[in-house]
């Protein structure tokens, strides 16, 4: 069995501690409200959630799959790049994931907010209606869903690491658990990213639950790719990071 690298081990420990804390304190509600990433227009949003959501998970299956992927792909990436560069990609991908997902929400939300304002509602009234658990007449349910949207999980970070792994090992053969057909990483990883992009744009889920933040996956992968491409292009001096 592949030996786990130090940074990956510590990340897994922190994720598990946060998951146990979520279950143990306040029935999960308190931790979730404080540390999940909320839509910035929602009063539940706090700046620290931009980072803390990366250590939160929505259930046992969610954390198991993410931690398995972190061990499987994170360990060889850290062993090849060193801990500092690995962590730089990891957290940068997490931030890229937030940026794309929240940006996509805003692209959807702002026109709907303008429509509500055109119907005579003020921004304060919009907020009060949402707090009451209602939606506006002639306004899409999507408006309500985005306002109360929240995001948890290390998936965006891991997608960045997966992209880095693919660029370092393009001919490595990978396969899905439920589709045991080996596919080279240079085809497998872009394929997964394209499916996530399609899911994010259409709402049609292929493998993940329908409430998955698909654009976060895409944002994390793109961030990991850009960083690795830049380092490769500039032939970054490894000793400067280790």
């Amino acid at each position: 069995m592949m030996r786990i690298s130090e940074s990956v081990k510590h990340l897994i420990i922190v994720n598990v501690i946060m998951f146990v804390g979520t279950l143990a304190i306040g029935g999960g509600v308190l931790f979730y409200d404080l540390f999940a990433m909320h839509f910035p227009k929602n009063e539940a949003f706090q700046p620290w959630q931009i980072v803390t959501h990366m250590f939160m998970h929505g259930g046992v299956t969610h954390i198991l799959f993410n931690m398995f992927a972190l061990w499987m792909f994170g360990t060889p990436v850290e062993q090849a790049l060193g801990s500092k560069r690995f962590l730089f990609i990891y957290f940068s991908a997490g931030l890229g994931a937030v940026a794309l997902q929240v940006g996509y929400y805003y692209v959807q939300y702002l026109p709907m907010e303008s429509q509500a304002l055109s119907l005579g509602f003020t921004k304060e009234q919009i907020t009060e209606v949402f707090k009451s658990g209602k939606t506006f007449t002639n306004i899409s349910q999507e408006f309500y869903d985005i306002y109360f949207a929240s995001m948890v999980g290390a998936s965006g970070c891991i997608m960045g690491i997966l992209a880095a792994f693919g660029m370092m090992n393009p001919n490595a053969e990978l396969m899905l658990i439920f589709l045991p057909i080996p596919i080279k990483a240079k085809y497998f990883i872009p394929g997964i990213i394209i499916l996530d992009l399609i899911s994010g744009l259409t709402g049609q889920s292929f493998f993940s639950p329908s409430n998955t933040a698909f654009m976060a996956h895409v944002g994390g992968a793109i961030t990991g790719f850009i960083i690795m491409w830049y380092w490769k292009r500039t032939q970054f001096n490894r000793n400067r990071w280790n």
Side-chain angles (χ1 to χ4, degrees):
M1 178 178 285
M2 179 172 54
R3 182 181 178 185
I4 189 170
S5 56
E6 283 299 307
S7 295
V8 169
K9 178 176 69 176
H10 293 146
L11 286 171
I12 290 175
I13 290 172
V14 174
N15 274 277
V16 170
I17 290 173
M18 289 292 285
F19 183 68
V20 172
T22 301
L23 297 178
I25 299 177
V29 176
L30 178 60
F31 253 49
Y32 203 91
D33 285 347
L34 285 175
F35 300 126
M37 176 66 193
H38 292 82
F39 185 54
K41 281 185 171 287
N42 191 310
E43 63 180 9
F45 169 75
Q46 299 293 340
W48 60 76
Q49 295 169 359
I50 296 172
V51 174
T52 58
H53 85 278
M54 302 178 196
F55 299 98
M56 299 285 291
H57 288 85
V60 174
T61 301
H62 190 199
I63 190 170
L64 284 178
F65 271 102
N66 273 354
M67 294 305 98
F68 174 77
L70 177 56
W71 164 73
M72 183 175 181
F73 299 107
T75 292
V77 170
E78 182 178 2
Q79 289 173 342
L81 296 179
S83 61
K84 291 182 180 179
R85 280 202 285 182
F86 166 78
L87 290 172
F88 182 80
I89 294 178
Y90 185 88
F91 286 107
S92 295
L95 296 176
V98 171
L100 188 60
Q101 184 67 56
V102 172
Y104 184 64
Y105 279 151
Y106 267 105
V107 168
Q108 297 173 293
Y109 181 92
L110 292 178
M112 291 187 286
E113 183 181 70
S114 296
Q115 184 183 354
L117 293 172
S118 71
L119 292 174
F121 293 99
T122 65
K123 289 188 177 182
E124 291 74 19
Q125 288 173 326
I126 292 172
T127 301
E128 288 305 314
V129 170
F130 281 147
K131 286 180 181 178
S132 69
K134 301 177 182 178
T135 57
F136 292 100
T137 304
N138 299 323
I139 300 297
S140 170
Q141 176 69 30
E142 189 177 15
F143 195 173
Y144 178 88
D145 293 340
I146 292 173
Y147 185 85
F148 284 112
S150 59
M151 184 168 64
V152 294
S155 301
C157 306
I158 293 168
M159 287 297 292
I161 297 301
L162 184 62
F165 177 89
M167 293 182 71
M168 294 166 57
N169 306 278
N171 294 315
E173 292 189 336
L174 307 174
M175 53 188 170
L176 296 171
I177 293 175
F178 45 83
L179 184 64
I181 302 173
I183 305 172
K184 289 185 177 180
K186 61 184 177 183
Y187 305 123
F188 181 92
I189 295 172
I192 293 295
I193 297 169
I194 290 171
L195 290 178
D196 276 327
L197 179 60
I198 293 172
S199 294
L201 294 174
T202 66
Q204 175 63 48
S205 177
F206 294 97
F207 306 116
S208 305
S210 59
N211 63 344
T212 299
F214 295 107
M215 285 302 184
H217 290 188
V218 176
I222 290 174
T223 303
F225 170 81
I226 291 173
I227 293 171
M228 287 298 295
W229 173 82
Y230 177 77
W231 283 346
K232 182 177 180 181
R233 180 173 176 269
T234 57
Q235 296 182 337
F236 215 85
N237 180 1
R238 178 177 178 178
N239 291 328
R240 190 172 158 191
W241 285 83
N242 287 341

